[in-house]
Amino acid sequence: MSIWEVILAFVVVVLMLVALLANVLVLMCFLYSADIRKQVPGLFILNLTFCNLLMTVSSMPLTLAGIIYKRQPGGDQICHIVGFLETFLTTNSMLSMAALSIDRWIAVVFPLSYHSKMRYRDAALILSYTWLHSVSFPIVAASLSWVGFHHLYASCTLYNKRPEDRTQFVIFTGVFHTLSFLLSLIVLCFTYLKVLKVARFHCKRIDVITMQTLVLLVDIHPSVRERCLEEQKRRRQRATKKISTFIGTFILCFAPYVITRLVELSSAIPINSHWGIISKCLAYSKVVSDPFVYSLLRNQYKKTWKDIINKILKRSSINSSALTSESHNRNILQLNE
C-alpha cells in the first residue's frame, strides 16, 4: 500500500467509528426522550439516522477493504446488495434533509398553521414518498446489471461494465443525480433562504425595539448597553450561520462526488483514482456530520445525551461502590474468623 492508500484507509476507519458513535447516540436520544419522539421532525431525523447507520455498517467497510486489497471484497452477490443499499441510502438521506428543510420552512413561515400542516400523518406520507423515490433507482440499476465494484471509488456502487449500454447508463446517471442531489439542493436552498428572510425580518424588529429601549434608558450602565449591542449582533449572525451550515455541508460533502460521477461519464477527462476515493470519503463524511448538524448540537438533544451519560456514569459509580463495600465486608468477616 502507498502512503496515500494508508491515509485514505485511516480516514475511512475514523469516519466509520465517529459515524457509528454519533448516530447511535442520536438513536439513544430518540428512544430516551419522550419530548423528542412527540415532535414531527423527530421522524425525519430518525429516518436520516437509520440511513446513516446502515451506510456505516454496509458500504464503508467494503470501501475500506477495497482500498486495502485493491479489488472487489466478497462475492458478486454481496457487492450487488451493498451497491443497491448504497444507492438507496444516499438518495434517502438527501431527501430526508430536504424533508427537514420543508418542516423548518413551514414552522417559521407559517407558525400559526404549522400543527395543522405538518402532522405525524403528513410526515409519514413524506417519508413514504422518500422511500419509494429512493428505492426506484437501485431497482432499475439492479435489473439492468448496473451495480458492481467500481475501482475508481473502491466501492460497490452504480457501475456499467458493458460498452453497448453506455448511452443508456449516461442518461440514467444524469436523471438519478438530477432527481436526488439537484432536487434536494433546490429544496434546501428555497426553504432555508425563505427561513433566513423571515429570521432577518424578526431580527430587524427586535433591533428596533432594543435601540428604542436603549435610547429611553439614559441612565443605563455602558457595560449593559454593550452587552445588548453584542447580543443584537450575535442574533443577526446566528440564523445565517445555521443555514449556511445546512446548505454548506450538503454541497461540500456531496457535490465533489456527484461532479466526479458525471465527469467520469466523459471518457475525454481522466480521473485520478485517489481523487475518486477522496470524493467518496467526502460523501461518507456527511454521515458523520449529520448527527451534529441536525441533532446533537441542538439544546434539546444536548440535554438528553448529557442526561444519558450522567445516568450511565452514576450507575457505574454505584456498582463500583457496591463492589467495594462488598469486598470490604468480606475482608472484615475473614479477619473475624
Side-chain angles (χ1 to χ4, degrees), residues 309-327:
I309 292 173
N310 290 332
K311 192 173 182 180
I312 293 171
L313 292 176
K314 285 180 182 178
R315 185 175 296 175
S316 62
S317 64
I318 291 170
N319 291 336
S320 63
S321 62
L323 289 172
T324 303
S325 62
E326 184 180 348
S327 62

Side-chain angles (χ1 to χ4, degrees), residues 79-239:
C79 192
H80 290 162
I81 293 171
V82 172
F84 183 96
L85 282 174
E86 189 258 357
T87 307
F88 165 73
L89 295 172
T90 302
T91 309
N92 201 341
S93 63
M94 288 181 182
L95 294 176
S96 296
M97 294 172 217
L100 280 166
S101 71
I102 292 172
D103 176 81
R104 288 299 85 204
W105 171 58
I106 296 173
V108 173
V109 180
F110 310 102
L112 299 179
S113 58
Y114 171 74
H115 292 290
S116 62
K117 290 184 177 181
M118 186 59 73
R119 296 163 294 182
Y120 264 95
R121 185 181 65 184
D122 302 315
L125 288 173
I126 293 173
L127 286 180
S128 299
Y129 169 76
T130 63
W131 276 64
L132 289 173
H133 184 125
S134 304
V135 80
S136 60
F137 289 101
I139 286 176
V140 173
S143 63
L144 296 173
S145 300
W146 287 344
V147 178
F149 182 75
H150 202 314
H151 288 275
L152 181 61
Y153 309 101
S155 304
C156 295
T157 182
L158 294 177
Y159 184 49
N160 176 39
K161 297 180 181 179
R162 298 192 299 266
E164 61 271 15
D165 292 345
R166 186 177 181 279
T167 303
Q168 295 93 320
F169 183 72
V170 168
I171 295 171
F172 173 81
T173 305
V175 172
F176 168 65
H177 289 301
T178 300
L179 294 180
S180 55
F181 171 76
L182 187 60
L183 175 63
S184 301
L185 180 60
I186 290 171
V187 173
L188 284 170
C189 291
F190 174 81
T191 52
Y192 281 132
L193 290 178
K194 290 287 184 181
V195 169
L196 181 60
K197 184 178 179 181
V198 174
R200 284 180 172 174
F201 173 74
H202 287 300
C203 282
K204 286 180 181 178
R205 290 180 60 187
I206 295 171
D207 291 346
V208 170
I209 296 171
T210 303
M211 294 306 297
Q212 289 175 348
T213 305
L214 292 175
V215 169
L216 292 174
L217 298 174
V218 291
D219 297 331
I220 193 171
H221 195 274
S223 63
V224 177
R225 184 186 298 271
E226 287 179 5
R227 283 201 299 271
C228 290
L229 294 175
E230 287 175 2
E231 178 59 29
Q232 182 179 346
K233 184 179 178 181
R234 283 197 296 268
R235 190 167 46 245
R236 285 198 299 266
Q237 294 175 348
R238 198 175 297 134

Side-chain angles (χ1 to χ4, degrees), residues 281-316:
C281 289
L282 283 173
Y284 285 151
S285 67
K286 196 72 175 74
V287 177
V288 177
S289 65
D290 284 344
F292 299 98
V293 171
Y294 291 100
S295 307
L296 296 178
L297 296 181
R298 288 173 54 194
N299 291 331
Q300 190 176 26
Y301 280 86
K302 194 183 294 185
K303 181 180 180 300
T304 303
W305 64 256
K306 284 181 179 178
D307 290 343
I308 294 172
I309 292 173
N310 290 332
K311 192 173 182 180
I312 293 171
L313 292 176
K314 285 180 182 178
R315 185 175 296 175
S316 62

